[in-house]
Amino acid sequence: MDMEHARFNMIEQQIRPWNVLDAHVLQLLEVVKREDFVPLAHKALAFVDMEIPLREGGARGQVMLAPRVEARLLQDANVQKHERVLEVGAGSGYMAALLAHRAQRVVSVEIEPELARMARANLQKAGIHNVEVLELDAAQGVKGDGPFDVIVLSGSVAEVPQVLLAQLKVGGRLIGIVGDEPAMYATLMTRTGEATWTTTTPWDTVAPRLLNFVAPSRFKF
């Protein structure tokens, strides 16, 4: 496979048409080698418009999100060089690598020990040193490292948990995919005060659930 040609096609045919027009984001997609973060068994699928299983048999449903979804989340997060970022769902480490190029520091949390090890190894091989991968359940909160300027959810939740919103600085923002199939929306929440938020839902897509982020119970009458 001609990797550079495949990468060019991914950017021009999948990502740019999906309203990812930030020149810095597009340049990052050329610099950070996505194929180096894809499990070896699926390397030929690195630039395909699909979710890629991170473990054999797709156990527990963890995937690399489709390239256009990752790129759009990165663009909408709008991370700045002085900012500290929390990513929920490290997976293979690819999104953390992208965020690391834009942020001062990234804390990426992963509930699955095998994936946490994969992410650390991939980031080390890529020469990225401003990411810390923590093996923990973010649904229980991420204490000690916050508050953060930006939180990125690399997977979906039924609704944005308060335990994560509490980790945002005033002026900080959270981006993730929220809702239930078939209606999920990219949701950008900005903390405007101690107890005030603005929320926009700029685009729709679907993504697998982040582990342990259970849907709230709904009463039926």
Side-chain angles (χ1 to χ4, degrees):
M1 178 193 284
D2 182 341
M3 289 289 186
E4 294 312 314
H5 184 64
R7 192 184 333 277
F8 175 85
N9 286 342
M10 175 189 74
I11 293 169
E12 296 303 321
Q13 296 173 11
Q14 296 173 41
I15 291 171
R16 196 187 290 271
W18 229 49
N19 288 329
V20 179
L21 304 174
D22 184 317
H24 296 293
V25 170
L26 296 173
Q27 183 182 26
L28 255 188
L29 297 172
E30 295 179 10
V31 170
V32 180
K33 304 304 184 188
R34 193 171 197 269
E35 65 273 21
D36 292 344
F37 291 84
V38 175
L40 195 57
H42 302 298
K43 193 158 289 232
L45 303 175
F47 306 109
V48 177
D49 183 17
M50 63 177 285
E51 294 168 352
I52 297 177
L54 286 174
R55 306 206 302 187
E56 285 306 313
R60 303 254 269 171
Q62 286 125 317
V63 300
M64 287 181 76
L65 297 175
R68 59 191 167 86
V69 174
E70 292 170 324
R72 191 79 185 267
L73 288 171
L74 182 66
Q75 175 176 268
D76 289 3
N78 192 29
V79 176
Q80 306 298 310
K81 271 293 182 189
H82 65 279
E83 291 183 320
R84 296 174 71 250
V85 179
L86 171 67
E87 181 200 16
V88 179
S92 69
Y94 178 64
M95 178 60 91
L98 293 170
L99 291 165
H101 279 271
R102 306 202 74 178
Q104 180 187 91
R105 181 168 181 262
V106 178
V107 175
S108 185
V109 298
E110 175 55 58
I111 193 170
E112 290 284 1
E114 180 185 342
L115 295 185
R117 288 193 296 270
M118 180 197 298
R120 288 190 196 105
N122 287 340
L123 289 160
Q124 186 174 14
K125 279 185 212 161
I128 293 170
H129 304 297
N130 61 331
V131 177
E132 182 180 9
V133 179
L134 300 179
E135 185 187 311
L136 55 80
D137 181 2
Q140 304 302 314
V142 184
K143 297 179 175 62
D145 278 289
F148 295 92
D149 299 287
V150 181
I151 298 176
V152 176
L153 308 183
S154 287
S156 71
V157 292
E159 62 180 39
V160 179
Q162 288 298 319
V163 72
L164 291 182
L165 290 175
Q167 294 291 306
L168 267 187
K169 291 180 181 178
V170 173
R173 54 221 178 269
L174 178 147
I175 181 89
I177 298 162
V178 182
D180 296 294
E181 287 194 80
M184 295 185 184
Y185 298 90
T187 299
L188 180 64
M189 299 184 69
T190 303
R191 188 169 194 169
T192 54
E194 285 303 318
T196 55
W197 311 83
T198 61
T199 303
T200 59
T201 51
W203 42 282
D204 61 283
T205 189
V206 294
R209 278 278 186 265
L210 289 168
L211 296 183
N212 286 11
F213 285 89
V214 296
S217 59
R218 290 182 169 83
F219 294 103
K220 293 183 179 177
F221 297 95

